[in-house]
Amino acid sequence: MQINREILNQFLAWKNAEHRKPLLLKGARQIGKSWAMEEFGKRHFLHYAVFNFDRQPELASAFQDSKSPDRILKELALYTNVPLIAGKTLLIFDEIQECESALNALKYFYEDAPEWHIIAAGSLLGVAVKQRKMTVPVGKVQIMRMYPLSFREFLYAADNATYQYIEDVNEIKHLPTIILNKLRLEYQRYLVCGGMPEVVNALLEGKGMQTVEQALQDILDLYELDFAKYAQARDIPRIRAVWHSLPSQLSKENRKFVYKLLKKGARSKDYEDALLWLEDAGIVYRVNNCTRPDMPLSAYEDLGAFKLYACDTGLLRRLAKLPVDAILGEVSGYKEFKGAMAENAVLQSLVSMSADLFPYYWTSENQAEVEYIIQWGTEIIPIEVKAENNISGRSLSVYTEKYHPKYRMRFSMLNLQFNDGLLSCPAALVSWFPKWLNLSQQVL
């Protein structure tokens, strides 16, 4: 099954930009970067040529011997049967972290041959650049980030009729029960498989849960191999310790990352490099505490207090060894971690929409906690996340009484509605976040 990825629209905007730079695509392993680049080449160019620096290490010589784009292109033409025509051929530099000269050459293409369309990507690019102290041509490339499938992309493939219904909603009101039920079912399936393309395909093509579980485990095993291959020897056990602690970190009531869960007497300075490695790899997201919800939020973040989430809910579920039945049915004992899964899924959706939506969390003297707060233009918006229909709890009320926000949001399994500044939204619809806020503005 072919899944439509929204990043292809971003690629098209880049292609049509007047002052275009070579594109550098970043993102975690196994999210479909290579597929997206090639699919874009098929759809929007007469030709596309893939140069993979891992499979063809001999390609490096074309970049080491010259900085001239003309000379480089003449040599690259020897390695492909695809015609290389400016404006007609998309050049794809895959696994570019294996050739620093090729990475640096993007600068010369921007300065001397801007008529060429180039997209470059690499596995663990952020990690490789930092570890090998590689030079990235800052200001000469456009960096674009790619993520696992959002629920929006998942729904488009799984139930297109429901997707189109949500796309056509133009006011905030209760959704029909049949639509709400369909959303709930597909959202549960999304929590089971997550957004890794191979896993999503296995689920949607009906290959069975054993295949889905194996695909998730294969990705987790690949990540483990990456730890050993790309990390410094002294950091490998620490990276593994942080990664495998995610389920226990998130099973706590407040989710705050606690170093003593890694090792008795563990200190932050001993594990900071491991945390940064996982962040650079795109495998985890660190959400910092914000002491005061004023603009800009970054000015009030507490770097010493944070929560750590996985880049993908499917991988988190598999890492935690959480059975599929726990997601699809009512299982006693699955309560606290259900909340963690809900928070992770909401974060995953927010992050994939825009870097500007990367949230913080807020606490008040251990008496109240709001899962996320974001800056939306000139507004600071608190976001409460509930796993089911139970919306009890005073945290959002405490925040409201103290700061009087214009908008508040709650993601749960309840229906869509807007009342007195509180936008209540089904968790499945986080991917349409800007739409609901814009419609809310029309109500006020």
Side-chain angles (χ1 to χ4, degrees):
M1 174 179 288
Q2 181 168 302
I3 299 171
N4 191 50
R5 299 302 305 271
E6 293 182 356
I7 198 167
L8 297 179
N9 296 329
Q10 297 179 48
F11 286 172
L12 186 58
W14 162 80
K15 176 181 185 289
N16 295 329
E18 183 177 357
H19 301 291
R20 183 186 58 253
K21 301 176 182 179
L23 190 61
L24 193 57
L25 187 62
K26 298 180 68 175
R29 289 262 257 163
Q30 299 297 301
I31 59 172
K33 295 188 294 296
S34 296
W35 175 89
M37 292 187 294
E38 293 184 29
E39 183 66 18
F40 181 64
K42 292 176 185 176
R43 294 187 188 185
H44 297 287
F45 287 85
L46 191 61
H47 311 284
Y48 70 95
V50 179
F51 300 97
N52 188 304
F53 294 93
D54 183 46
R55 295 181 179 178
Q56 299 172 281
E58 62 272 18
L59 289 171
S61 63
F63 297 87
Q64 292 168 350
D65 297 337
S66 176
K67 295 181 179 179
S68 165
D70 287 342
R71 173 71 180 273
I72 290 171
L73 287 165
K74 287 178 180 178
E75 290 203 40
L76 289 180
L78 301 176
Y79 294 96
T80 180
N81 294 323
V82 176
L84 302 186
I85 307 169
K88 303 292 184 182
T89 303
L90 174 65
L91 303 180
I92 298 174
F93 293 166
D94 210 353
E95 303 296 352
I96 196 170
Q97 81 282 352
E98 298 299 330
C99 182
E100 184 175 5
S101 298
L103 186 61
N104 290 333
L106 298 179
K107 168 185 176 181
Y108 304 109
F109 274 93
Y110 169 67
E111 293 176 341
D112 302 329
E115 66 275 14
W116 288 89
H117 296 79
I118 303 175
I119 304 181
S123 300
L124 301 174
L125 183 59
V127 168
V129 167
K130 183 177 292 186
Q131 181 175 318
R132 302 174 191 173
K133 298 180 180 179
M134 298 167 67
T135 301
V136 177
V138 178
K140 309 298 182 180
V141 296
Q142 178 182 339
I143 295 177
M144 189 176 291
R145 287 173 174 80
M146 186 174 176
Y147 302 92
L149 272 83
S150 66
F151 177 70
R152 182 189 182 112
E153 292 171 310
F154 178 89
L155 186 64
Y156 182 92
D159 185 347
N160 193 258
T162 300
Y163 170 88
Q164 292 298 335
Y165 184 94
I166 300 301
E167 284 286 289
D168 292 339
V169 171
N170 57 15
E171 61 180 313
I172 296 179
K173 63 179 183 179
H174 276 196
L175 301 172
T177 301
I178 188 172
I179 295 295
L180 201 60
N181 288 339
K182 287 183 175 182
L183 282 173
R184 184 185 180 95
L185 172 61
E186 295 303 342
Y187 196 60
Q188 286 177 325
R189 297 211 297 162
Y190 178 72
L191 292 177
V192 164
C193 72
M196 294 298 182
E198 180 186 357
V199 187
V200 172
N201 274 318
L203 181 76
L204 297 185
E205 292 175 0
K207 294 181 179 179
M209 288 314 305
Q210 184 175 353
T211 303
V212 169
E213 295 288 63
Q214 187 59 56
L216 284 168
Q217 188 59 51
D218 287 346
I219 296 174
L220 291 178
D221 291 344
L222 176 64
Y223 284 1
E224 294 280 349
L225 292 174
D226 286 339
F227 300 162
K229 180 178 179 181
Y230 292 100
Q232 299 287 346
R234 66 179 181 84
D235 288 331
I236 295 172
R238 295 170 183 172
I239 292 170
R240 285 177 173 154
V242 172
W243 175 240
H244 287 282
S245 80
L246 272 185
S248 59
Q249 300 283 358
L250 292 174
S251 66
K252 306 192 313 302
E253 185 177 359
N254 65 5
R255 324 268 192 248
K256 181 182 174 182
F257 191 87
V258 177
Y259 287 96
K260 69 179 181 181
L261 291 179
L262 304 176
K263 182 181 178 181
K264 186 178 180 180
R267 299 172 298 177
S268 60
K269 68 176 184 178
D270 295 328
Y271 286 88
E272 184 59 25
D273 286 345
L275 281 163
L276 288 173
W277 193 98
L278 289 166
E279 286 185 278
D280 288 338
I283 297 174
V284 300
Y285 302 133
R286 187 188 325 211
V287 178
N288 288 322
N289 177 250
C290 188
T291 57
R292 229 172 75 192
D294 287 335
M295 290 194 299
L297 288 176
S298 59
Y300 303 99
E301 64 180 333
D302 178 2
L303 299 177
F306 63 91
K307 302 178 184 182
L308 204 65
Y309 295 93
C311 70
D312 181 71
T313 55
L315 292 180
L316 175 61
R317 181 188 64 79
R318 181 65 186 176
L319 184 67
K321 296 181 173 57
L322 180 67
V324 172
D325 291 346
I327 301 289
L328 301 180
E330 294 295 328
V331 178
S332 61
Y334 176 51
K335 296 179 180 179
E336 200 63 57
F337 200 73
K338 179 182 286 189
M341 287 287 289
E343 290 177 27
N344 207 112
V346 168
L347 176 65
Q348 188 173 335
S349 293
L350 290 174
V351 169
S352 67
M353 282 186 285
S354 169
D356 293 337
L357 291 180
F358 200 98
Y360 298 84
Y361 74 96
W362 173 86
T363 58
S364 175
E365 300 172 351
N366 297 321
Q367 295 178 349
E369 179 173 312
V370 175
E371 281 78 17
Y372 300 122
I373 57 174
I374 65 164
Q375 187 171 314
W376 177 262
T378 58
E379 301 291 337
I380 304 298
I381 301 175
I383 299 175
E384 184 177 60
V385 180
K386 296 294 185 181
E388 291 292 341
N389 296 335
N390 184 359
I391 57 174
S392 62
R394 293 199 68 251
S395 291
L396 189 56
S397 297
V398 170
Y399 181 99
T400 302
E401 291 168 5
K402 189 170 184 177
Y403 297 108
H404 309 288
K406 184 177 181 181
Y407 299 102
R408 295 113 62 211
M409 296 195 72
R410 176 187 291 134
F411 291 110
S412 67
M413 290 300 172
L414 294 176
N415 212 324
L416 182 65
Q417 62 180 344
F418 184 72
N419 184 33
D420 193 26
L422 174 60
L423 174 62
S424 180
C425 185
L429 301 184
V430 181
S431 293
W432 286 265
F433 177 90
K435 176 176 184 172
W436 310 129
L437 277 181
N438 290 332
L439 291 175
S440 298
Q441 291 175 341
Q442 298 175 15
V443 176
L444 290 178

